[in-house]
Amino acid sequence: MSDPFAGAASGLSGPATRHFSISPSDSADLVVRPRALVFQTDGNAVLRDEGGVDITYSRYAGDVLPIRAVRVLATGTTATLVGWI
C-alpha cells in the first residue's frame, strides 16, 4: 500500500500509527507508554502519571483520553482500554 506521509514526522499532535491492548495491573507499568488511551467500553480507568499520582477517569466508549499514563491500575478499572502510540 502506498503511504504518501511515510516521510513525514509524526509528533504528539499527529495521528497515532500503532495501537495495543491494555492489561490493567496494580504492580506493573505499561510496557509501552501511550500517547493516548481509547475507551472501548463505558467505565472507569485508574491511571498513574509519571509523578506517581493515581486518578480515576470515568468515560464513555469511544472517548480518547490524551494522557501518557505509565500504569493502568486493575483495582478500580472497569473499562476496556486501547493504547495509541
Side-chain angles (χ1 to χ4, degrees):
M1 159 190 348
S2 174
D3 182 357
F5 301 102
S10 179
L12 286 176
S13 62
T17 57
R18 295 186 297 170
H19 52 250
F20 62 97
S21 297
I22 300 285
S23 296
S25 172
D26 290 334
S27 60
D29 288 344
L30 296 169
V31 175
V32 176
R33 195 164 175 198
R35 71 170 57 196
L37 297 171
V38 181
F39 281 67
Q40 298 294 286
T41 61
D42 295 354
N44 296 329
V46 182
L47 308 179
R48 180 167 295 165
D49 67 14
E50 65 185 13
V53 177
D54 299 340
I55 298 285
T56 301
Y57 290 88
S58 298
R59 301 285 195 198
Y60 295 102
D63 281 351
V64 177
L65 187 62
I67 184 168
R68 300 192 64 230
V70 297
R71 183 179 297 179
V72 178
L73 283 83
T75 301
T77 295
T78 59
T80 301
L81 303 166
V82 170
W84 280 356
I85 52 177

